Amino acid sequence: MNKRIFHVLEYNKIIERLNSQASSSLGKEKTIAIKPSTNLAEVVKWQEETDEAANVLRLKGNVPLGGIFDIKPSIKRTIIGGILNANECLDIASTIYGGKQIKSFIEGMDEPELPILRGLVEQIVPLNELERQIKSCIDDNGHVMDGASDKLRSIRTKIRTNESRVRDKLDSYTRTKTKMLSDAIVTIRNDRYVLPVKQEYRGAIGGIVHDQSSSGATLFIEPQAVVDLNNQLQEARVQEKNEIERILKELSMKIAEDQSYLYQNVEALGTVDFMFARAKLGQSMRASMPKMNDKGIIKMKQARHPLITDDEVVPNDVELGESFTSIVITGPNTGGKTVTLKMVGLCTLMAQSGLQIPALDGCEMAVFSNVYADIGDEQSIEQSLSTFSSHMTNIVNILDNVDHETLVLFDELGAGTDPQEGAALAMAILDDVVSRGARIIATTHYPELKAYGYNRDGVINASVEFDVQTLKPTYRLLIGVPGRSNAFEISRRLGLNEFIIETAKSHIGTDSKSVENMIASLEESRRGAESDYEQAEVILEQAQQLKQEIEQQWDQFEQKREELYKKAEEKAERAVEKAREEAELIVTELRNMKNEASLKEHEWIEARKLLDEAQPKLTKNKPGKTNRNDENKEIQPGDEVKLLTLDQKGTVIEKISNKEYQVQVGIMKVKVKRKDLQFVKREEPLIEKPMAMVKGSTYHVKTELDLRGERFEDALHRLEKYVDDAILAGYPSVSIIHGKGTGALRKGVQEFAKKHRHIKDFRAGSMNEGGSGVTVLEFK
């Protein structure tokens, strides 16, 4: 990219705003160096980085990026043996802590997926030991603490003692020799404690003169009595300085040892800050991530110029590169043509820099090898060039470099010279650039170019709307409609005589009138289309609302139907249960009356099982909810099916073909087509398990029954049936698992065992059997 385009499109202002969003000098350094890339893969990667950071900001609002510094110069100094000062060491500790904060923040997020950010924070090494050592020696104000070493603590204790002794000695002078002093205070000169003595009492005090006032009336004297004490104090301060230097040297050496990790942390933190700076800029512009391509396609919905405030900017839809490769915008001055031109160019540079653009979601931008622009009055006084010459010099340079991978922006193409010659030049220039396959947006005043798009493939006219009623531009871009001259309408609105207006119209050529009439017709068609669109929007909204109401009513109907089916099933189940209870009473009475010689116990058990199996099964498929895929279900010999034509059930004997089967219905065998069969059920093959054989019958019964969680009545019913099956299977004993709980279920099981004639004894389970939560039944 040429640097001139950055100035013309005000790209540098975007960089300034981006720079203000960075949280650290590391991020600011990267924002200043940002440049548009011409590599599609690189641009896509940048956009994905920005989008990840934007998702984090959307979910969390902010990120902990404080306390991070550019410590690279400090690290470099430690490597070559330099000694860092306390503040530089403190910046390194702060940066280590800041890295741990952002690492913990990103790794603690569950949503959304953050592969790029997680990969970056994985590179951050938490140097806890180095941070602890620095923080244990230096406080938050950059002061080396007494606890940094035992020697430093001892030296500072000595300093405080000496200072106290010097002050006490000098305070005695301020109390006893007040008349000799200019002020009764103790002050410091050349790092030594002194007294402000009047000039005339210089000999009375005696000692070393360190300074005097500007008037010479006051001398700052160190009395002889405190010279030795001050010497001791100075010596202690030198020792303190040496010890601090030793401590900082030791810390600097430890920093140098971890220099590779520190550089790695700094690079990762700078990239993370740079990503969030781009995301924050996009958030402030209400921007979205563009889909990038290398086909020269631009699609922006409700795009806004990034540097115009929201209360002033007018959003516009812009498309370029698919149906047409060039747009020629015509219309009056101050209508917004140049703003549109700059918006497209600036958004292109932003997108190629990994920045989101101020448009609705779903926008698409192209990666160009170069963006050229000829915008504004670039008259050069030094070169003594006219406006036209200046523009033409720039255009010549553009034509020397343009190709199919470039975006070219022409503002007022051909302006500044004779209108006829300028219009002819403009069309010739456009023809040349279009033939090279470049993407072009051009603005012009020339009426000759209004029909240009109708005579060229890949070129379309556009204009900026002007409201004749208010005499103001609306700044709306109208693709497909050339700009219309509003001079007569404006003049009429301002009160110009109608006769003069009509006379002016008579001077216009037939071609110009035809063009103006065509434009007027297009505008009328556009307004009609917009009105129809608005009506269609209203009808669509009403239809959607009606659809929602119908769906809601249908759901209510389905719910009501389900409730009715459920009530019917419950009623049927109660009737079946009542019949079962009555049958049980009859069976019980018959058992009491049975002849032991004629009826065996297992026959009664089998009779009860037949009773259970006779209980009707209520269907779960409601009318209207048949399985539409039943016809596709594979039917095999042995399957139970329903003949839809006869409304009878039968069993499949043989598969004749994919569409025909032989079915046994009662004593008849019939051939039936697949579409006339409905699958009912399939007998599952028995899985071989260890089993007990009793009198020729096979029973699969476990040696334990789990009643936990059952209602009391249901549990006893299951227990009774299970005991019958276990007796039939010939088990000597079984375990009943009832849990501990309240003990009600255990008591019920034991009461049942006492009354059952075939239970010899019962006991609580042993420790390895489940303890009191299990009752073991032993049969006779």
Side-chain angles (χ1 to χ4, degrees):
M1 292 285 177
N2 60 86
K3 293 183 179 180
R4 179 183 164 278
I5 198 69
F6 298 156
H7 170 71
V8 172
L9 297 178
E10 300 179 286
Y11 176 76
N12 296 327
K13 292 184 179 179
I14 294 295
I15 301 308
E16 290 174 7
R17 292 180 60 178
L18 175 64
N19 185 262
S20 67
Q21 299 291 349
S23 300
S24 69
S25 56
L26 295 171
K28 291 181 184 295
E29 181 182 346
K30 289 184 178 291
T31 61
I32 293 172
I34 189 174
K35 291 290 184 294
S37 172
T38 57
N39 183 287
L40 177 62
E42 186 175 41
V43 173
V44 170
K45 178 177 177 293
W46 289 352
Q47 287 290 350
E48 289 173 349
E49 289 176 353
T50 308
D51 188 54
E52 261 196 31
N55 285 334
V56 174
L57 289 178
R58 178 175 53 83
L59 293 172
K60 297 295 184 179
N62 208 342
V63 289
L65 281 169
I68 298 171
F69 300 94
D70 184 3
I71 57 175
K72 288 180 290 190
S74 300
I75 301 171
K76 187 175 181 180
R77 280 177 48 213
T78 64
I79 295 173
I80 60 177
I83 299 175
L84 304 183
N85 61 40
N87 285 320
E88 288 173 325
C89 292
L90 193 61
D91 286 349
I92 290 175
S94 179
T95 302
I96 293 172
Y97 179 76
K100 292 194 300 182
Q101 288 292 100
I102 190 65
K103 181 182 180 75
S104 175
F105 177 82
I106 296 299
E107 290 179 345
M109 290 190 67
D110 296 328
E111 294 289 340
E113 293 295 325
L114 305 170
I116 299 173
L117 282 170
R118 292 188 191 280
L120 282 170
V121 299
E122 280 180 6
Q123 300 174 22
I124 298 174
V125 181
L127 302 170
N128 296 321
E129 181 60 24
L130 179 59
E131 180 194 3
R132 186 195 63 77
Q133 289 175 342
I134 295 173
K135 290 290 185 71
S136 66
C137 295
I138 304 170
D139 64 17
D140 293 340
N141 298 316
H143 178 71
V144 179
M145 297 183 291
D146 294 357
S149 73
D150 294 337
K151 185 176 180 180
L152 182 61
R153 180 183 288 109
S154 175
I155 292 171
R156 285 184 172 168
T157 301
K158 183 179 178 181
I159 289 173
R160 285 189 286 269
T161 302
N162 287 340
E163 283 180 340
S164 178
R165 291 170 63 189
V166 170
R167 281 188 167 278
D168 289 344
K169 194 72 173 175
L170 293 178
D171 284 344
S172 67
Y173 280 87
T174 60
R175 290 193 299 270
T176 60
K177 301 184 183 297
T178 306
K179 291 181 180 181
M180 299 179 184
L181 304 177
S182 299
D183 200 355
I185 61 170
V186 176
T187 185
I188 296 175
R189 288 293 186 274
N190 299 327
D191 292 331
R192 298 176 77 90
Y193 287 98
V194 297
L195 293 173
V197 182
K198 294 177 182 177
Q199 175 69 31
E200 57 268 27
Y201 294 108
R202 173 178 180 175
I205 295 295
I208 302 171
V209 178
H210 287 277
D211 197 5
Q212 69 176 11
S213 64
S214 57
S215 64
T218 301
L219 300 175
F220 295 94
I221 299 175
E222 179 184 1
Q224 190 65 43
V226 298
V227 170
D228 289 340
L229 291 175
N230 265 332
N231 288 341
Q232 293 174 15
L233 183 59
Q234 286 299 100
E235 183 182 349
R237 283 175 175 163
V238 170
Q239 293 174 351
E240 177 192 32
K241 181 180 178 182
N242 292 337
E243 179 61 15
I244 289 174
E245 186 174 344
R246 186 196 67 78
I247 292 168
L248 293 176
K249 182 178 181 181
E250 187 176 319
L251 289 176
S252 299
M253 291 172 63
K254 290 177 179 176
I255 290 169
E257 290 174 2
D258 288 330
Q259 52 91 11
S260 60
Y261 296 126
L262 289 169
Y263 272 127
Q264 182 175 307
N265 288 5
V266 167
E267 188 59 33
L269 289 171
T271 303
V272 170
D273 190 14
F274 183 38
M275 287 174 58
F276 280 104
R278 289 168 5 220
K280 289 175 185 176
L281 179 64
Q283 192 178 58
S284 69
M285 294 179 176
R286 293 184 291 112
S288 61
M289 171 184 164
K291 179 183 177 183
M292 303 305 300
N293 67 80
D294 56 359
K295 300 177 182 177
I297 298 172
I298 295 176
K299 290 182 180 179
M300 293 190 288
K301 292 290 185 182
Q302 298 295 288
R304 308 177 302 280
H305 194 289
L307 298 176
I308 301 178
T309 57
D310 287 347
D311 57 343
E312 294 180 356
V313 71
V314 176
N316 277 304
D317 296 347
V318 179
E319 289 192 18
L320 183 68
E322 280 192 328
S323 302
F324 45 86
T325 59
S326 305
I327 301 175
V328 178
I329 307 175
T330 54
N333 280 330
T334 69
K337 301 192 304 296
T338 305
V339 171
T340 301
L341 209 65
K342 286 187 172 182
M343 178 195 73
V344 175
L346 185 53
C347 286
T348 297
L349 296 181
M350 290 172 62
Q352 290 185 220
S353 302
L355 302 176
Q356 297 182 340
I357 62 172
L360 297 183
D361 288 339
C363 53
E364 190 169 354
M365 298 298 291
V367 174
F368 294 102
S369 63
N370 245 314
V371 177
Y372 296 105
D374 178 59
I375 298 175
D377 185 1
E378 299 182 17
Q379 182 174 352
S380 174
I381 296 176
E382 290 107 3
Q383 297 178 6
S384 300
L385 297 175
S386 66
T387 301
F388 176 77
S389 299
S390 176
H391 280 293
M392 195 52 58
T393 300
N394 190 30
I395 290 171
V396 169
N397 181 59
I398 292 173
L399 294 178
D400 287 341
N401 297 283
V402 71
D403 59 22
H404 67 284
E405 294 182 344
T406 57
L407 172 66
V408 184
L409 308 172
F410 290 124
D411 188 29
E412 299 301 341
L413 184 60
T417 187
D418 178 77
Q420 285 187 334
E421 292 181 356
L425 269 174
M427 287 189 282
I429 292 169
L430 286 174
D431 283 341
D432 182 63
V433 180
V434 169
S435 68
R436 302 192 197 186
R439 302 297 183 263
I440 309 164
I441 303 179
T443 68
T444 181
H445 279 310
Y446 295 131
E448 290 85 353
L449 268 72
K450 292 181 180 179
Y452 179 81
Y454 293 102
N455 303 322
R456 305 291 194 284
D457 292 334
V459 182
I460 193 168
N461 285 313
S463 61
V464 284
E465 190 177 54
F466 189 88
D467 191 339
V468 180
Q469 302 299 320
T470 61
L471 304 181
K472 292 181 179 179
T474 65
Y475 304 105
R476 288 182 61 202
L477 181 67
L478 307 176
I479 300 289
V481 180
R484 182 183 176 193
S485 174
N486 297 297
F488 294 148
E489 285 79 1
I490 293 172
S491 300
R492 184 179 288 109
R493 290 281 299 170
L494 294 175
L496 186 65
N497 189 288
E498 188 68 29
F499 174 75
I500 296 175
I501 294 173
E502 292 300 322
T503 303
K505 286 184 177 180
S506 68
H507 294 313
I508 297 178
T510 305
D511 292 341
S512 297
K513 287 181 180 179
S514 299
V515 171
E516 290 298 320
N517 290 337
M518 177 187 68
I519 295 172
S521 175
L522 285 172
E523 288 189 348
E524 184 177 353
S525 299
R526 178 185 58 79
R527 285 193 292 269
E530 287 182 351
S531 176
D532 292 343
Y533 179 78
E534 290 174 359
Q535 291 179 7
E537 283 284 314
V538 173
I539 294 172
L540 177 61
E541 186 177 351
Q542 291 174 348
Q544 288 176 339
Q545 184 176 357
L546 180 61
K547 178 176 177 288
Q548 290 176 355
E549 291 176 356
I550 292 173
E551 287 178 347
Q552 186 177 2
Q553 291 176 3
W554 178 258
D555 290 341
Q556 291 174 353
F557 167 75
E558 286 285 326
Q559 185 177 359
K560 185 68 175 176
R561 188 173 69 169
E562 289 293 330
E563 290 176 356
L564 291 174
Y565 275 123
K566 187 175 180 181
K567 288 180 180 179
E569 286 188 356
E570 290 175 351
K571 184 176 180 180
E573 285 176 356
R574 287 195 297 271
V576 170
E577 184 62 27
K578 183 177 180 182
R580 175 169 169 63
E581 290 174 357
E582 292 175 354
E584 284 283 353
L585 289 174
I586 295 170
V587 170
T588 301
E589 291 177 4
L590 288 173
R591 175 183 286 168
N592 294 334
M593 299 167 59
K594 71 182 177 66
N595 186 346
E596 288 289 339
S598 60
L599 289 175
K600 305 299 182 182
E601 183 65 26
H602 73 274
E603 293 175 343
W604 288 105
I605 293 172
E606 289 197 10
R608 173 173 288 167
K609 288 181 68 116
L610 289 173
L611 179 62
D612 289 338
E613 292 171 358
Q615 181 173 334
K617 295 181 180 179
L618 298 172
T619 179
K620 297 299 181 184
N621 293 326
K622 308 297 186 293
K625 290 191 176 182
T626 57
N627 186 359
R628 295 183 181 180
N629 296 322
D630 180 70
E631 191 172 333
N632 297 325
K633 187 174 182 66
E634 184 182 356
I635 295 178
Q636 300 175 0
D639 291 349
E640 185 177 340
V641 294
K642 182 177 181 181
L643 280 70
L644 300 178
T645 53
L646 301 176
D647 195 21
Q648 293 287 329
K649 289 185 179 180
T651 303
V652 176
I653 299 174
E654 181 185 358
K655 180 180 179 180
I656 300 173
S657 67
N658 288 334
K659 296 183 179 180
E660 194 172 28
Y661 293 82
Q662 188 174 38
V663 182
Q664 177 85 41
V665 183
I667 61 173
M668 297 186 300
K669 295 181 181 178
V670 293
K671 292 183 180 179
V672 187
K673 292 184 177 180
R674 175 65 184 87
K675 63 185 181 68
D676 295 328
L677 292 176
Q678 183 180 13
F679 177 82
V680 176
K681 69 177 181 178
R682 178 174 297 159
E683 291 294 334
E684 296 295 333
L686 289 175
I687 300 173
E688 293 187 5
K689 295 181 181 179
M691 61 188 73
M693 302 296 294
V694 181
K695 298 185 180 179
S697 297
T698 301
Y699 290 90
H700 300 275
V701 184
K702 291 184 177 181
T703 57
E704 62 180 27
L705 174 65
D706 192 345
L707 298 177
R708 288 174 295 183
E710 296 277 356
R711 291 190 310 163
F712 186 81
E713 293 80 5
D714 294 340
L716 292 184
H717 176 69
R718 283 188 60 199
L719 175 62
E720 183 179 2
K721 183 177 182 301
Y722 172 75
V723 167
D724 290 343
D725 292 343
I727 292 171
L728 188 60
Y731 293 147
S733 63
V734 293
S735 298
I736 310 299
I737 305 171
H738 44 65
K740 298 177 181 179
T742 60
L745 192 55
R746 179 178 66 248
K747 185 177 179 181
V749 170
Q750 294 175 355
E751 288 294 329
F752 171 82
K754 291 177 182 178
K755 297 177 181 178
H756 199 287
R757 58 185 295 182
H758 289 281
I759 296 176
K760 177 174 65 175
D761 195 8
F762 63 88
R763 62 177 175 81
S766 61
M767 291 301 294
N768 61 349
E769 291 176 328
S772 59
V774 174
T775 296
V776 178
L777 306 182
E778 297 179 357
F779 300 130
K780 296 179 180 178

